[in-house]
Amino acid sequence: MLFGRNVEVWHHHSFRLPLSALGGVTGFEPRRADLVLWFLADAWAIDAKMLRKPRRVRYRDLARVHTAEYLESLSHARTLARIFAVDESDVQVDEALNTIRLACGATVQAARSRMISGGAALNLFGGFHHAGPDSGGGFCAVNDIAVAVADLRHEGFKGQVVVLDLDAHPPDGLAACFRGDSSVWVGSLSGESWGPLEDVDDTVLERGADDRTYLRALDGLLGRMPRSEFAFVIAGGDVIAGDRLGKLALSLDGIRRRDLRVYKALGGVPSVWMPGGGYGEESWKVLGGTGVVITCRSLDPIPPTYDPMRARFGWVSTKLSRERLEGGDELSGKDLEEALGIRPPEAQRLLDFYTADGIEYALSHYRLMPHLRRLGFEQLKVSIEVMALGEAVRVHGTFDGERHLLIECVLERKRVANHDVLYVHWLTLRNPRAKFNQRRPQLPGQDAPGLGLAREIGWAFARIARRLGLAGVAYRPAWYHTAYSGRYHFVFADPVRQGRFEAMQRDLRNVALLEITRAAADGRLRMNGEPHTWEAEEMVFWLGRSPLDEAAVAEERERVRFTIVDPECDKDGP
Ligand SMILES: [Zn+2]
């Protein structure tokens, strides 16, 4: 059997919602579609021929399902802010609607294409099952599945449709869209009930249900599923144990088995698969697993430390022209004018290598510049300045006619733990359009909310270090939360310090990040019962093998226990 011959994967780089607060506030990974695409390409599960780029769904297609009044309300930042659980100040309406229409367009176009050619399609952003004809909520603005079914009907398709909703939440929007329509069967397996759902085969599992319980219930649901001529599957990412919003407790392996059972149960029925929800660090692995099942039926796990962004940045880096990064080697007319003193000397090069234009060129290819534009900033400009501490790189942008600092970092080559590294003295990522609020509180060291781009910047630094032949990237986290945000790649240069840091993560995993930072600053943090203060020390992202003494790390990690005391208990005496 030839795998992957009749499979499509739908993706658009604008699937990433342009909401800078999304990741931090809800646990939703706005890069999920990108991460999965990079993973599937890196794992050779897909090739360019299988990739499809959607067009935006048309309003007249949306209007087959949604009321005109509701669609009109989507052009207000207030409505979108409520649906995506972010502050109104964080919503760029046109860009957000662009993402929503592209995602819905992908489900619609994937359904049409599968109707003609058969086989399976995976839309990397879709399954918005909470949107009803005149309402949205829970990250769902429009009901892509209902719009796709309406489109198939409009094209003359009269056959039975099944919708398997395997998201951890109930399909209230789907139920509202398909109420009374016997030609569409909706089967749901979820972890909570929001009340009775009309015309839905609804199974609600106990909180914390594991692989065994879930797969048994799934077999029951698949046994009741009617024969159909077309299928939609929401392969929900929020069924995994530890998801912030889902109450089930499946393992990645259990979820892969779920997808394989569904795939087999559908037989040759043409199908469109979508991810639905997923609010945790591993949600991209769930969707990556769905992609692997559809393309090659594999149950092989994704290695625990694999990061698709590494593959992506490495790949882009090989495509960048050295000449453009350095600004070219050949003597030009410009250089001659400079030499003759009739032209001011060129601006400094960062670390004797990158010109400001070169950095702008690289940031564009890593898609950071386009993302800043989607967040609502124009006239983006990169500048370099040599300072006493190191070399500063700044990215400015304008909105409402004013110029704002968006990114600033101060870099230097420095020796840490006997290795030459790229030393980041200072990094700030600012979104001056967004506002702090209760869900997005101001963290120490912040004068504006972040851009949601820390991970990309981290990889960009890693690529710079590699290009300059350095051993890694280093910085000194002044607060617990800044160390925490780098925890996947950075380790303390000192093994004792790393052991304590790992013990803090273990012991304080149920405490909010901001509370830990505050407790450490207020003297309420205890190590083995004694007051403990957070000191800034070097952390390094080693590009090659880490020279860290792992045994010493483990020894300290096991030796110490961290606790936080309440502000009241901290006061001595009466
Ligand atoms: Zn959900």
Side-chain angles (χ1 to χ4, degrees), residues 138-439:
F139 303 90
C140 304
V142 297
N143 198 308
D144 56 328
I145 295 174
V147 174
V149 170
D151 181 71
L152 294 179
R153 298 298 187 217
H154 182 74
E155 291 292 299
F157 172 65
K158 293 190 171 60
Q160 176 74 38
V161 173
V162 300
V163 181
L164 266 174
D165 187 332
L166 305 177
D167 186 272
H169 299 100
D172 53 342
L174 286 170
C177 290
F178 294 123
R179 186 174 298 145
D181 182 350
S182 60
S183 71
V184 179
W185 176 87
V186 180
S188 165
L189 194 51
S190 70
E192 72 192 277
S193 174
W194 296 346
L197 292 171
E198 247 177 273
D199 300 330
V200 173
D201 185 325
D202 187 23
T203 305
V204 180
L205 294 169
E206 294 273 306
R207 187 190 188 101
D210 62 4
D211 293 350
R212 252 173 64 104
T213 313
Y214 186 95
L215 292 173
R216 200 181 314 122
L218 177 66
D219 287 340
L221 183 68
L222 293 175
R224 296 191 299 276
M225 178 172 71
R227 293 165 70 90
S228 69
E229 289 169 57
F230 202 91
F232 293 89
V233 181
I234 303 181
D238 48 9
V239 297
I240 195 170
D243 185 89
R244 271 211 235 176
L245 302 182
K247 297 188 170 75
L248 299 172
L250 274 75
S251 69
L252 281 169
D253 180 64
I255 302 171
R256 195 79 73 87
R257 289 174 197 280
R258 168 195 77 176
D259 293 345
L260 197 56
R261 282 189 200 193
V262 171
Y263 188 89
K264 286 182 175 160
L266 288 175
V269 175
S271 57
V272 178
W273 297 59
M274 295 137 290
Y279 312 93
E281 275 151 15
E282 301 223 282
S283 70
W284 76 266
K285 290 189 184 174
V286 177
L287 181 55
T290 304
V292 166
V293 163
I294 294 173
T295 53
C296 36
R297 326 294 174 261
S298 166
L299 287 172
D300 293 344
I302 299 172
T305 57
Y306 175 83
D307 182 348
M309 206 179 274
R310 174 195 291 263
R312 168 66 179 179
F313 273 66
W315 184 82
V316 171
S317 164
T318 63
K319 307 277 168 201
L320 296 178
S321 142
R322 187 178 173 107
E323 198 174 307
R324 288 207 52 190
L325 295 172
E326 295 183 280
D329 291 331
E330 284 160 46
L331 193 68
S332 63
K334 221 166 58 175
D335 296 318
L336 186 61
E337 289 172 13
E338 196 179 303
L340 295 171
I342 52 177
R343 189 188 173 87
E346 288 249 13
Q348 283 289 336
R349 279 165 195 259
L350 178 73
L351 304 163
D352 297 326
F353 185 84
Y354 298 87
T355 61
D357 282 348
I359 292 169
E360 192 169 328
Y361 163 74
L363 293 181
S364 299
H365 279 259
Y366 292 127
R367 297 210 66 82
L368 273 93
M369 298 303 239
H371 193 71
L372 291 176
R373 276 183 213 110
R374 297 186 67 218
L375 292 178
F377 298 103
E378 294 166 336
Q379 297 173 304
L380 299 172
K381 188 88 199 128
V382 177
S383 60
I384 298 173
E385 186 198 345
V386 177
M387 310 192 339
L389 189 63
E391 297 166 41
V393 182
R394 299 189 184 91
V395 180
H396 283 88
T398 58
F399 82 90
D400 285 348
E402 266 192 70
R403 190 162 169 270
H404 293 270
L405 178 66
L406 308 177
I407 299 176
E408 181 179 54
C409 59
V410 178
L411 306 173
E412 188 190 14
R413 284 176 211 254
K414 201 174 164 181
R415 214 158 165 79
V416 171
N418 297 320
H419 291 84
D420 287 326
V421 299
L422 176 67
Y423 200 90
V424 183
H425 281 284
W426 168 257
L427 169 64
T428 181
L429 303 170
R430 308 171 68 242
N431 183 356
R433 295 192 72 126
K435 293 189 179 71
F436 292 113
N437 62 23
Q438 236 179 357
R439 279 191 306 232

Side-chain angles (χ1 to χ4, degrees), residues 117-132:
S117 319
L122 174 63
N123 171 11
L124 294 175
F125 192 36
F128 307 128
H129 61 163
H130 297 313

